[in-house]
């Protein structure tokens, strides 16, 4: 799907949501969420191509694939967390959106912990060799 179709879906959903907001707020929120999901489905082909290129790069490099997998997971968690938080903000749930963002940050910290410990072990081994 090209960018103009995605923009069209976004604008249409946004205007429909805005038009209904004054009459039926619950339908406005549902239209906003449905629009977001439709746009996510629209980018799946692009995302698949990016991931394939990323894995191809990982295979060509000498870096362990677990590090590339961790980076992909971190980026995915960041996008999904931001997406969920924005939907919550649009529906007026700012406090819950902040908690979702906090949960995403803690989850990202947990995902990067093995990379950090591996890096620290390399540093400690380098210092002990001196």
């Amino acid at each position: 799907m090209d960018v103009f179709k995605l923009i069209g879906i976004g604008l249409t959903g946004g205007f429909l949501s805005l038009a209904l907001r004054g009459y039926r707020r619950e339908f406005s929120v549902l239209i906003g969420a449905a629009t977001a999901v439709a746009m996510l489905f629209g980018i799946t082909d692009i995302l698949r191509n990016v991931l394939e290129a990323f894995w191809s790069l990982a295979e060509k490099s000498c870096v362990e694939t677990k590090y590339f997998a961790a980076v992909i997971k971190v980026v995915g968690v960041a996008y999904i967390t931001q997406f969920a938080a924005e939907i919550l903000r649009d529906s007026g749930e700012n406090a819950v959106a902040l908690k979702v963002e906090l949960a995403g940050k803690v989850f990202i910290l947990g995902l990067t912990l093995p990379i950090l410990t591996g890096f620290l072990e390399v540093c400690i081994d380098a210092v002990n060799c001196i």
Side-chain angles (χ1 to χ4, degrees), residues 13-122:
F15 288 140
L16 282 172
S17 177
L18 185 63
L20 286 176
R21 185 166 290 155
Y23 303 106
R24 301 289 303 258
R25 182 149 177 86
E26 62 273 10
F27 288 145
S28 173
V29 171
L30 288 175
I31 288 175
T35 301
V37 168
M39 292 182 72
L40 281 178
F41 281 120
I43 62 168
T44 55
D45 290 335
I46 298 167
L47 186 58
R48 185 178 313 115
N49 292 338
V50 168
L51 289 176
E52 287 174 2
F54 199 70
W55 283 114
S56 174
L57 180 65
E59 290 174 358
K60 291 177 184 176
S61 69
C62 296
V63 178
E64 293 184 43
T65 56
K66 69 179 181 180
Y67 297 122
F68 281 100
V71 169
I72 289 173
K73 288 177 186 177
V74 165
V75 170
V77 168
Y79 279 133
I80 290 169
T81 301
Q82 180 185 6
F83 180 74
E86 290 301 322
I87 288 176
L88 287 166
R89 279 192 190 89
D90 289 344
S91 64
E93 297 294 333
N94 291 331
V96 179
L98 288 172
K99 304 313 182 275
V100 167
E101 288 176 341
L102 176 64
K105 291 173 184 176
V106 170
F107 196 78
I108 287 172
L109 180 63
L111 286 173
T112 57
L113 197 57
I115 296 172
L116 182 61
T117 56
F119 175 72
L120 289 176
E121 288 173 3
V122 168

